[in-house]
Amino acid sequence: MLFPPRASASSAARTSRSNGSLSAQQALATLSVEYASLRSQSHCPIGMYVVPSVESMFVWDGVFFVHQALSYHSRAFGFYSRSSLRFRLTFNNYPEKAPAVHFITDVFHPLISQKDGLFSLAPRIPTWLPKEHHVFDVLHWIKTAFKRDALDRLKEKDCLNKEAYRYRETTSSFVALASQTAMLSQSPSALYDKDHPSLGGKGRGAIVFHKLTDRELQEMREEIGVQKWEIPSD
């Protein structure tokens, strides 16, 4: 979880005016509470960070660092291991309606549309229930959807990328394309260039990465008390 930049009074006013009604103010209060609740244990998945937009609390930007698999045949994150995936949550008529999730990073995945990056919640949350479902349920489903066990249980009717769904029948082809997603998501242009192409032309969002020099990296390691580590080869 990341703490958002402090929004100015004018940006808060723009949000209020653009959404207008008392219900929008209630939604804003609900989202503020939900964002604060991500501090609670297990609410924000490990490896995932989200931050509301400076312009509007109704748009959150996120990044998901997919954990490294223990082996090529791991039942966890083997297909998308080491990916750095940007996504965006958009809240319209929340909490009555589920947030829309769009991936900004180009991802070859059965649940992600290649047209605009829309992510399907249907396998985990087929019907959104305002009093039962919360933002953290959405975040945990995003993470789970990249695990091999979840991929194996998907049904074609819930998939927005039918080609990716059918590729599961040929595991080697699916692995190659999913691994390409991981490789491209780690490229310097994808991480650092503000003009890097994104799904649906959504830009890179509010979370910005800056490349550190070796000295800056060492100073940061010393500050937070971690040692240099190496990624083992497959």
Side-chain angles (χ1 to χ4, degrees):
M1 173 183 174
L2 297 176
F3 294 103
R6 186 180 298 276
S8 66
S10 59
S11 66
R14 285 197 301 272
T15 297
S16 178
R17 285 196 298 270
S18 63
N19 292 281
S21 65
L22 178 61
S23 61
Q25 295 177 17
Q26 292 171 337
L28 184 61
T30 299
L31 283 174
S32 297
V33 171
E34 292 235 14
Y35 186 75
S37 76
L38 294 181
R39 286 183 171 186
S40 300
Q41 186 175 8
S42 301
H43 274 213
C44 189
I46 295 174
M48 188 174 290
Y49 301 85
V50 292
V51 58
S53 165
V54 174
E55 287 76 22
S56 174
M57 187 66 180
F58 293 94
V59 178
W60 296 7
D61 285 309
V63 62
F64 173 32
F65 298 106
V66 183
H67 290 171
Q68 179 184 339
L70 297 178
S71 70
Y72 180 82
H73 298 288
S74 171
R75 299 298 295 179
F77 296 104
F79 296 146
Y80 298 93
S81 177
R82 305 176 189 172
S83 297
S84 300
L85 308 177
R86 299 175 189 266
F87 62 92
R88 178 168 295 158
L89 303 175
T90 305
F91 300 89
N92 291 311
N93 195 26
Y94 190 82
E96 297 304 315
K97 292 177 60 179
V101 181
H102 289 84
F103 272 80
I104 296 172
T105 303
D106 190 354
V107 187
F108 185 78
H109 189 287
L111 296 179
I112 300 175
S113 168
Q114 286 291 287
K115 180 180 179 180
D116 59 4
L118 181 65
F119 173 78
S120 175
L121 301 177
R124 175 62 60 87
I125 310 175
T127 301
W128 179 264
L129 302 175
K131 294 183 179 180
E132 294 186 20
H133 295 127
H134 302 277
V135 176
F136 60 79
D137 294 309
V138 174
L139 297 180
H140 278 281
W141 170 234
I142 292 173
K143 180 172 182 175
T144 299
F146 284 85
K147 295 182 179 181
R148 186 168 176 178
D149 285 344
L151 288 166
D152 288 344
R153 293 194 298 269
L154 293 180
K155 298 179 180 179
E156 186 172 6
K157 66 181 180 64
D158 295 326
C159 296
L160 302 179
N161 185 338
K162 305 299 185 185
E163 181 184 7
Y165 176 81
R166 288 189 288 270
Y167 259 113
R168 298 183 322 140
E169 300 170 3
T170 309
T171 304
S172 59
S173 298
F174 187 89
V175 168
L177 289 166
S179 298
Q180 184 180 51
T181 288
M183 180 182 66
L184 293 176
S185 74
Q186 298 177 71
S187 68
S189 62
L191 291 173
Y192 308 122
D193 291 356
K194 64 179 181 179
D195 297 325
H196 185 78
S198 60
L199 277 176
K202 298 181 183 301
R204 64 178 179 178
I207 299 178
V208 179
F209 300 123
H210 298 284
K211 190 172 184 178
L212 301 177
T213 65
D214 290 342
R215 180 176 179 179
E216 289 172 330
L217 184 57
Q218 181 59 32
E219 289 175 350
M220 182 170 289
R221 287 195 182 107
E222 292 174 355
E223 182 179 346
I224 62 178
V226 298
Q227 297 180 346
K228 183 177 180 180
W229 56 280
E230 301 290 342
I231 298 176
S233 58
D234 292 331

